[in-house]
Amino acid sequence: NSDDNGIWSLNTLAFLLADVTPPAISCAVSTDTLWPPNGQTVGVVVTGAASDASGLDAASFAFAVVDEYGVVQPSGAVTIGSGGAYSVTVPLVSSRKGKDGNGRTYQIVVSGQDAGGNAGSCTAVVTVLHDQRH
C-alpha cells in the first residue's frame, strides 16, 4: 500500500494458536491388589509424571479415590517435582464385602492442568481380592 507521499507500508496480521492439548499424565501403583481383607489401612504409592509443551499448572494437580462401595474416598494434593515427576501415598482400606466375588475396586485418579487450562488425568485401579486365586 502506498500513501500520497509514495511511502509504502506493510500490514501485518498476527494471531495466536490456542493450546487445546491436555497435559500427558502417567500413573502406576506400588500394588494393584490388597490382601488380606483384614480392615487395615494400606498406603498405596502412586507414581508417575506429567508433561505439556505449554508448561504445567503444578498447583492444580490432585488425586481422588473412587470407591466401588462409595465409602472410602480420600483425596489430596499432588506435588509435581522437577521434570513433572510425582509420588503420593494414598490410604486405602483392605476390606471387602463377604459375598463380593470379584473383590472391592478402588480407582485412583490423578488429574491436573497445563498452563493453558487444559485438564488431563490418569486412572490406576487397586482391588481388594476376594481370595488369593484372583
Side-chain angles (χ1 to χ4, degrees), residues 70-106:
V71 177
V72 177
Q73 298 173 336
S75 61
V78 172
T79 301
I80 301 295
S82 64
Y86 70 87
S87 178
V88 62
T89 301
V90 178
L92 298 178
V93 177
S94 184
S95 68
R96 50 125 180 100
K97 294 178 180 175
K99 295 185 190 244
D100 188 348
N102 64 351
R104 180 183 196 170
T105 302
Y106 293 108

Side-chain angles (χ1 to χ4, degrees), residues 25 60-64 78 109-113 120-122:
I25 303 173
S60 72
F61 279 77
F63 75 89
V78 172
V109 180
V110 176
S111 61
Q113 296 180 346
S121 67
C122 71

